Amino acid sequence: MSRVMAQGDFRVMAGSDQAMEDLRRILEAREPLYRKADVCLDTSRSSVDESFAKLKAAFESNFE
């Protein structure tokens, strides 16, 4: 949500407590699936190319 807001996108969440609660509920429901991931990448403040390089490096180190 922070990333979306940093991009200036407040359309759905602006002034909507229900929308924020829905987002929290969705993320909470996904948490068990996220914990199963073999790799966790922080793509904050990274370009698409930088994010891809991180993903490629993680893949190469974990699956070779």
Side-chain angles (χ1 to χ4, degrees):
M1 185 59 202
S2 298
R3 183 176 60 187
V4 172
M5 291 174 66
Q7 294 170 353
D9 190 350
F10 298 95
R11 292 171 295 172
V12 178
M13 302 299 169
S16 176
D17 292 336
Q18 182 61 46
M20 285 301 292
E21 185 56 38
D22 288 346
L23 178 59
R24 287 185 187 97
R25 182 181 43 75
I26 290 166
L27 293 175
E28 184 177 307
R30 292 178 183 175
E31 183 64 29
L33 297 173
Y34 293 157
R35 275 191 254 116
K36 291 181 179 183
D38 293 321
V39 175
C40 180
L41 296 177
D42 181 1
T43 59
S44 302
R45 299 176 190 85
S46 296
S47 69
V48 172
D49 289 337
E50 291 166 336
S51 296
F52 178 72
K54 289 178 185 180
L55 178 60
K56 184 178 175 190
F59 181 82
E60 289 171 347
S61 67
N62 284 300
F63 301 107
E64 285 187 341

